[in-house]
Amino acid sequence: MTTTIPRSTHSNPAPGQPVDIDHFIAGRVDARGASARTVVYNPATGQVTGHVAVATPADVDAAVAAAATAFPAWAATPAHVRARVMFRFRDLVDQHSDRLAAIITSEHGKVLSDAKGEVTRGLEVVEFACGIPQMLKGEFSENVGRAVDGVTFRQPLGVVAGISPFNFPAMVPMWMFPVALACGNTFVMKPSEKVPTLTVELAKLLTEAGLPDGVFNVVHGDKVAVDALLTHDQIEAVSFVGSTPIAEYIHTTASAQGKRVQALGGAKNHMVIMPDADLEQAVSALMGAAYGSAGERCMAISVAVPVGEETANALRERLIAALAELKVGPGTQPEVEMGPLVTDVHRDKVASYIDIGVQEGAELVVDGRGQRVPDGGDGFFLGGTLFDHVTPSMRIYLEEIFGPVLSIVRAASFEEALQLVNDHEFGNGTAIFTADGNTARTYLAQVKAGMVGINVPIPVPMAFHSFGGWKRSLFGDHHIHGPEGVRFYTRNKTATTRWPDDSQVRADFSMPTHE
């Protein structure tokens, strides 16, 4: 909810008092238009920790204007010089990684080890961006005609925007802006208002690394800010990660304005467990993939598909035992394995899906509602939940829950399991656990999903590959980061050149050929 909140002192708040989180425009923290603010919580305690500014269209205009002003000089900066900024930024993020992870845990709730891993995965994209001179090398063909040469190269788009979700405050923005900046674009970032602090901290580190003022800007806010970005005539491209309904809206709205769009949507990731799988390994993988980060991951496994009744029964019993040992609590406690959900509203939404599953006739094997957490205060906790005998017609199977809820859908055969995955509207990621190479190879070849794990539960590719799903998990033609990211943030230009001598001055009225 947006409201008018009295300002606190951003730089020196009283101990324990909420801080103000402002925009970052033209190289500095910018509090313009910040009379309207929304609250930021610590999910582990339920306490308000901050008040984040909510941008107006005028605030977005200011950020875009700063980026547009900075673009010509930044685009003209040699690629290897831009890469040096990325190198320095990489070192600074690494030096501050513990502090950045603590910020993530305080606003998102995920455990510290997970937050540190998120920073590391984001850094991998920065490291990829450090090699941008190699990625921007063009092509040259000598003598495509007599004394005619051909050359192809890539140029930046201009001002581009990124809109990121709450679940990865560091990693998802770093999937976007390092590649965009290294390619010579300038950037306006709109992070989730639920987790706003981290992106501003990254902006400060970019400035410290030598990024010129205005090249990277941050605006906070809600749908008003998003729509201002989607329709702004100086924004050339938009990157988005979030739910499928919003991804589709982003793609439709921005595309209608003639912008490039990569909009990554939701998921319902299946993990197929074959009878020959190492069941202990599979259960361990499922626990981390389903309940890590409280299931608030677009690559979380939310559907387990054991093949055969014997496999299903054994998997179920092992999962029940593992869930009994799952340690839930504040993410700052070293022994905790799963923290709270990001807000009370989101926790209640996830809990409502548990109600729906029971109403639809699924067997609720482990119920996470009413999870009690010592020292949890008023935190937004929900325990790990397990359903069995879930069918493909149930809402808990069809819809993305985005919480610590795992459904077991039993399959009689490999073919039935494969068909389940392929019939679902989402196609983000999937995994299969098996000891048989032919089964794995067949699954990889025939499954309709963008990212596949073979005995790997969360197959997020390394930064030098590209991340993205199929079907209604992706809107747009380009996956994010890696080579696809470079193509998204640049456009191709081809030149055909000739330097004639004095004998080549006669007009030619025929169609040009290279004969």
Side-chain angles (χ1 to χ4, degrees), residues 124-371:
E124 291 168 359
V125 180
V126 180
E127 291 165 349
F128 171 80
C130 289
I132 203 64
Q134 174 69 22
M135 299 298 297
L136 292 180
K137 283 167 59 177
E139 298 173 327
F140 179 81
S141 297
E142 185 181 22
N143 288 330
V144 296
R146 293 185 184 277
V148 178
D149 301 323
V151 60
T152 299
F153 50 97
R154 306 196 73 84
Q155 292 185 321
L157 304 178
V159 181
V160 298
I163 303 165
S164 61
F166 73 81
N167 59 325
F168 286 105
M171 187 179 75
V172 170
M174 285 197 281
W175 280 359
M176 300 173 182
F177 71 77
V179 178
L181 298 181
C183 287
N185 302 281
T186 54
F187 209 97
V188 179
M189 189 81 226
K190 209 298 285 184
S192 168
E193 66 278 11
K194 298 179 179 68
V195 289
T197 302
L198 201 283
T199 308
V200 176
E201 293 302 310
L202 294 177
K204 293 175 182 177
L205 293 180
L206 280 167
T207 299
E208 187 177 344
L211 193 73
D213 292 349
V215 174
F216 183 74
N217 307 274
V218 180
V219 291
H220 304 291
D222 50 20
K223 187 176 183 295
V224 171
V226 169
D227 285 344
L229 290 170
L230 299 182
T231 58
H232 202 290
D233 58 5
Q234 288 183 286
I235 298 281
E236 299 289 340
V238 177
S239 299
F240 171 81
V241 175
S243 68
T244 283
I246 305 303
E248 187 169 26
Y249 173 80
I250 296 283
H251 181 260
T252 300
T253 305
S255 295
Q257 302 292 320
K259 306 183 191 309
R260 285 191 181 185
V261 187
Q262 53 179 193
L264 283 69
K268 200 71 178 180
N269 304 314
H270 298 62
M271 185 171 123
V272 176
I273 303 98
M274 297 299 295
D276 63 358
D278 182 325
L279 202 56
E280 184 174 346
Q281 181 190 56
V283 169
S284 177
L286 260 178
M287 288 297 296
Y291 303 110
S293 197
E296 294 172 326
R297 294 172 174 158
C298 68
M299 288 296 284
I301 296 293
S302 54
V303 181
V305 187
V307 175
E309 288 299 307
E310 184 177 344
T311 306
N313 292 335
L315 178 74
R316 167 186 166 131
E317 293 310 309
R318 292 194 183 212
L319 284 172
I320 292 171
L323 277 166
E325 301 296 322
L326 181 66
K327 296 178 178 62
V328 180
T332 52
Q333 296 181 3
E335 72 279 4
V336 166
E337 297 166 316
M338 190 180 88
L341 278 79
V342 68
T343 64
D344 55 347
V345 173
H346 186 59
R347 176 201 58 201
D348 294 346
K349 179 181 178 182
V350 173
S352 74
Y353 272 105
I354 301 174
D355 298 337
I356 290 168
V358 172
Q359 293 164 10
E360 291 183 320
E363 181 186 357
L364 181 57
V365 180
V366 178
D367 187 354
R369 295 170 297 184
Q371 173 77 44

Side-chain angles (χ1 to χ4, degrees), residues 52-189:
V52 60
V54 177
T56 65
D59 300 330
V60 172
D61 285 343
V64 175
T69 300
F71 172 69
W74 181 244
T77 301
H80 67 278
V81 178
R82 298 196 299 258
R84 288 172 187 163
V85 176
M86 290 296 106
F87 272 111
R88 291 192 290 269
F89 176 64
R90 187 259 172 224
D91 289 343
L92 287 168
V93 173
D94 188 49
Q95 292 168 25
H96 291 269
S97 60
D98 287 347
R99 179 176 67 85
L100 297 175
I103 292 171
I104 294 169
T105 295
S106 70
E107 290 187 348
H108 175 275
K110 65 179 66 176
V111 299
L112 272 173
S113 60
D114 192 23
K116 290 177 182 178
E118 174 187 342
V119 173
T120 299
R121 292 309 300 264
L123 271 180
E124 291 168 359
V125 180
V126 180
E127 291 165 349
F128 171 80
C130 289
I132 203 64
Q134 174 69 22
M135 299 298 297
L136 292 180
K137 283 167 59 177
E139 298 173 327
F140 179 81
S141 297
E142 185 181 22
N143 288 330
V144 296
R146 293 185 184 277
V148 178
D149 301 323
V151 60
T152 299
F153 50 97
R154 306 196 73 84
Q155 292 185 321
L157 304 178
V159 181
V160 298
I163 303 165
S164 61
F166 73 81
N167 59 325
F168 286 105
M171 187 179 75
V172 170
M174 285 197 281
W175 280 359
M176 300 173 182
F177 71 77
V179 178
L181 298 181
C183 287
N185 302 281
T186 54
F187 209 97
V188 179
M189 189 81 226

